[in-house]
C-alpha cells in the first residue's frame, strides 16, 4: 500500500462525542426495557464526562429504538462503556433486545438558532478539522488463559484456517494480528467497511467456532458462546478499543514488520499513558528518520497495547520503538508504567533499563494474516 497522505485518527483530540445506539426490541419487551433504561439513565448521569442522553422510539416501527448520548470527549465514554459497572448495568436489557448497533462520532459542526456556527469556526469541544482516514476500522480483543497453557493456546490460535475475507459487497476482513504476552492474548483486526458485520461474519465461520471451542477449557474467564448473554458479556469484557491510529505520509518503505508492545499502566493511569504514546507516534509520523511508519494504540482500563509497523529490528533504535524520543519522555513513561509489572527498577534514562523494558514489552507474535493470505 502506498499512502497519498498522512493518516491520523484519534480519541484524544478533545472534541465532544456523540454516541448512537440502535436497538431492535423483542415484541412485548418494551416495558421491561424502559425499566432497565431508567436504572441505566440514573447511573450514567453521574459518570464523569457524561453530558446528556435521549431515548427515542421509531414512529414507523415501534420495535426500533434509539439511544443517543453526548460526552465531553471520547476517553470518559470509553472508560464507562468498557467498565464492569457498565456490564452489570446493561445486563437486564439483554433479554429485551434482539439486536444492537453502536456508533461513535466526534462533533465537527453544529448549528443552533441562538448560536449559528460557520464552517471552520472554532468552538470549545469541537473537532478542529476533518480527519483523514483510510477506510479501515481497527479493533482488538484481549483475554487471559490459565498459566501453563500458553504454548497450547498459541498452537491452537496459530493453526486454524483463515475465514473467508470477503464479508459482503462493501466489507472485507483485511488483516488479523495475534500476539501473546505471558498468559494474555491480544487479537487485533483491520476491516474495510462495516466492523460489526465483519466481526459477526468471523464468529459464524466453522473454523473460527472450532478454535474458539478448543481454547475454552484454557480461559481464565468462563464463557459459553452458545449462550448469547454469556458471549455478550465475554466480548464486552474482552474489548480493547483503538484510541489512536497514525500512518506517516511518506511512501511506505519495503520490509515493514509488525510488532505489538504491552505497556501495563499504574492503577488509573491507562488513559494518560495511551495519550502519551499517541502523542509520541504523531511526532514519529512527521519524522522521516523514524523507524516507526505506522502505529495503533489500543487501551482499556490500565491495559495499553501499541501495534507498530517498523523498518528493521526493534532493538536497533529501542528509544523510538518504545515511543520514548524527546526530552523528559522517558521520565513521563516511567511515571505512568507499573514498574513492578514490567520488571524494571530505577530510571528509564539508563540504556540497560530501556533495553529491559523493550524486551519485556515486546509481545510474542502468534499469527499475522492479511486478506491476501486467505
Amino acid at each position: 500500500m502506498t499512502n497519498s497522505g498522512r493518516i491520523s485518527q484519534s480519541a484524544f483530540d478533545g472534541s465532544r462525542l456523540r454516541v448512537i445506539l440502535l436497538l431492535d426490541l423483542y415484541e412485548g419487551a418494551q416495558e421491561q426495557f424502559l425499566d432497565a433504561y431508567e436504572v441505566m439513565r440514573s447511573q450514567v448521569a453521574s459518570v464523569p464526562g457524561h453530558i446528556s442522553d435521549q431515548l427515542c422510539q421509531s414512529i414507523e416501527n415501534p420495535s426500533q429504538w434509539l439511544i443517543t448520548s453526548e460526552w465531553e470527549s471520547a476517553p470518559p465514554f470509553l472508560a464507562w462503556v468498557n467498565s464492569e459497572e457498565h456490564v452489570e448495568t446493561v445486563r437486564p436489557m439483554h433479554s429485551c433486545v434482539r439486536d444492537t448497533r453502536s456508533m461513535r462520532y466526534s462533533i465537527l459542526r453544529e448549528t443552533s438558532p441562538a448560536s449559528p456556527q460557520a464552517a471552520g469556526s472554532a468552538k470549545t469541544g469541537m473537532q478542529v478539522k476533518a480527519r483523514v482516514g483510510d477506510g479501515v476500522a481497527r479493533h482488538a480483543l484481549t483475554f487471559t488463559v490459565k498459566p501453563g497453557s500458553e504454548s497450547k493456546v498459541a498452537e491452537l490460535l496459530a493453526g486454524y484456517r483463515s475465514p473467508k475475507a470477503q464479508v459482503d459487497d462493501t466489507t472485507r476482513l483485511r488483516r488479523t494480528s495475534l500476539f501473546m504476552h505471558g498468559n494474555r492474548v491480544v487479537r487485533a483486526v483491520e476491516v474495510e467497511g462495516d466492523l460489526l458485520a465483519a466481526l459477526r461474519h468471523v464468529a459464524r465461520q466453522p473454523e473460527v467456532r472450532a478454535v474458539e471451542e478448543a481454547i475454552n477449557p484454557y480461559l481464565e474467564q468462563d464463557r459459553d458462546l452458545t449462550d448469547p448473554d454469556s458471549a455478550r458479556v465475554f466480548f464486552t469484557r474482552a474489548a480493547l478499543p483503538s484510541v489512536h491510529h497514525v500512518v506517516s505520509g511518506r511512501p511506505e518503505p519495503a520490509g515493514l514488520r509488525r510488532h505489538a508492545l504491552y505497556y501495563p499502566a499504574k492503577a488509573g493511569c491507562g488513559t494518560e499513558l495511551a495519550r502519551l504514546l499517541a502523542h509520541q507516534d504523531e511526532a514519529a509520523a512527521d519524522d522521516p528518520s523514524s523507524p516507526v511508519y505506522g502505529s495503533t494504540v489500543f487501551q482499556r482500563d490500565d491495559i495499553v497495547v501499541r501495534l507498530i509497523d517498523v523498518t528493521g529490528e526493534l532493538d536497533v533504535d529501542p528509544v523510538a520503538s518504545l515511543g520514548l524520543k524527546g526530552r523528559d519522555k522517558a521520565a513521563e513513561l516511567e511515571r505512568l508504567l507499573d514498574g513492578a509489572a514490567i520488571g524494571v527498577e530505577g530510571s528509564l534514562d539508563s540504556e540497560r533499563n530501556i533495553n529491559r523494558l523493550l524486551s519485556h514489552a515486546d509481545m510474542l507474535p502468534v499469527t499475522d494474516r492479511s486478506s491476501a493470505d486467505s
Side-chain angles (χ1 to χ4, degrees):
M1 178 186 70
T2 301
N3 284 298
S4 58
R6 189 172 183 273
I7 304 299
S8 182
Q9 302 161 222
S10 184
F12 298 125
D13 63 4
S15 59
R16 298 203 314 274
L17 184 74
R18 175 75 65 187
V19 180
I20 300 170
L21 182 63
L22 301 172
L23 307 102
D24 184 16
L25 302 190
Y26 291 111
E27 286 300 327
Q30 284 86 348
E31 290 304 319
Q32 181 185 351
F33 170 75
L34 285 172
D35 289 343
Y37 173 76
E38 285 301 313
V39 173
M40 185 191 75
R41 184 170 72 95
S42 64
Q43 293 191 8
V44 75
S46 62
V47 174
H50 175 262
I51 297 174
S52 64
D53 61 78
Q54 289 183 325
L55 174 65
C56 310
Q57 185 177 20
S58 170
I59 61 174
E60 298 170 331
N61 183 346
S63 295
Q64 294 178 350
W65 295 65
L66 168 70
I67 299 175
T68 67
S69 61
E70 188 172 330
W71 297 74
E72 292 176 0
S73 63
F77 166 75
L78 292 173
W80 155 249
V81 79
N82 292 314
S83 68
E84 285 297 313
E85 181 183 4
H86 178 264
V87 169
E88 295 306 319
T89 298
V90 301
R91 192 189 293 270
M93 292 185 177
H94 293 171
S95 59
C96 311
V97 178
R98 181 184 293 109
D99 194 19
T100 63
R101 179 179 179 84
S102 177
M103 295 171 282
R104 296 93 184 258
Y105 297 86
S106 57
I107 298 176
L108 185 65
R109 302 280 187 271
E110 69 178 5
T111 302
S112 64
S115 179
Q117 183 192 0
S121 63
K123 186 174 180 180
T124 302
M126 291 290 184
Q127 183 181 321
V128 176
K129 59 182 180 180
R131 290 185 285 269
V132 178
D134 55 1
V136 176
R138 294 169 174 84
H139 188 65
L141 296 173
T142 185
F143 52 87
T144 55
V145 297
K146 296 172 182 176
S149 69
E150 294 89 347
S151 60
K152 180 61 177 178
V153 170
E155 178 186 349
L156 290 168
L157 293 173
Y160 72 97
R161 186 166 59 90
S162 297
K164 183 181 177 182
Q166 196 68 40
V167 177
D168 54 36
D169 291 342
T170 60
T171 299
R172 181 177 180 82
L173 183 65
R174 189 170 83 165
R175 188 169 183 175
T176 300
S177 305
L178 200 146
F179 297 84
M180 293 185 70
H181 188 277
N183 70 330
R184 178 169 296 281
V185 177
V186 173
R187 176 191 288 150
V189 296
E190 297 179 0
V191 173
E192 296 175 4
D194 188 329
L195 175 63
L196 182 59
L199 295 178
R200 288 176 172 174
H201 162 80
V202 169
R204 290 193 296 264
Q205 303 310 302
E207 57 271 30
V208 174
R209 295 179 70 90
V211 76
E212 294 289 355
E213 289 297 329
I215 68 172
N216 271 348
Y218 306 108
L219 298 179
E220 286 198 314
Q221 177 192 339
D222 291 334
R223 70 178 184 185
D224 178 2
L225 295 183
T226 64
D227 176 3
D229 185 58
S230 176
R232 186 183 291 110
V233 169
F234 176 84
F235 287 113
T236 299
R237 287 175 171 157
L240 188 64
S242 166
V243 294
H244 187 270
H245 174 72
V246 64
V247 176
S248 172
R250 65 185 186 269
E252 181 178 307
L256 280 178
R257 296 186 60 185
R258 173 156 292 187
H259 294 265
L261 300 173
Y262 175 66
Y263 300 78
K266 288 180 181 175
C269 293
T271 299
E272 190 177 355
L273 174 56
R275 193 192 307 271
L276 170 64
L277 294 172
H279 175 80
Q280 291 297 94
D281 287 330
E282 287 286 333
D286 291 332
D287 181 1
S289 67
S290 175
V292 180
Y293 177 73
S295 164
T296 306
V297 178
F298 299 93
Q299 182 247 329
R300 174 197 178 93
D301 299 328
D302 297 324
I303 300 169
V304 181
V305 173
R306 180 166 160 263
L307 201 65
I308 56 175
D309 293 320
V310 300
T311 55
E313 298 297 330
L314 294 181
D315 56 5
V316 172
D317 190 346
V319 171
S321 296
L322 284 166
L324 290 176
K325 279 203 168 180
R327 183 178 179 181
D328 298 328
K329 297 307 178 184
E332 289 185 49
L333 187 61
E334 180 185 331
R335 177 177 62 84
L336 299 171
L337 281 174
D338 183 347
I342 59 178
V344 174
E345 297 179 0
S347 171
L348 286 180
D349 286 333
S350 76
E351 182 178 347
R352 177 173 177 269
N353 276 341
I354 288 175
N355 288 328
R356 179 179 291 179
L357 173 59
L358 180 63
S359 176
H360 184 278
D362 191 15
M363 300 183 71
L364 173 70
V366 176
T367 183
D368 186 23
R369 304 179 184 189
S370 68
S371 58
D373 302 325
S374 301

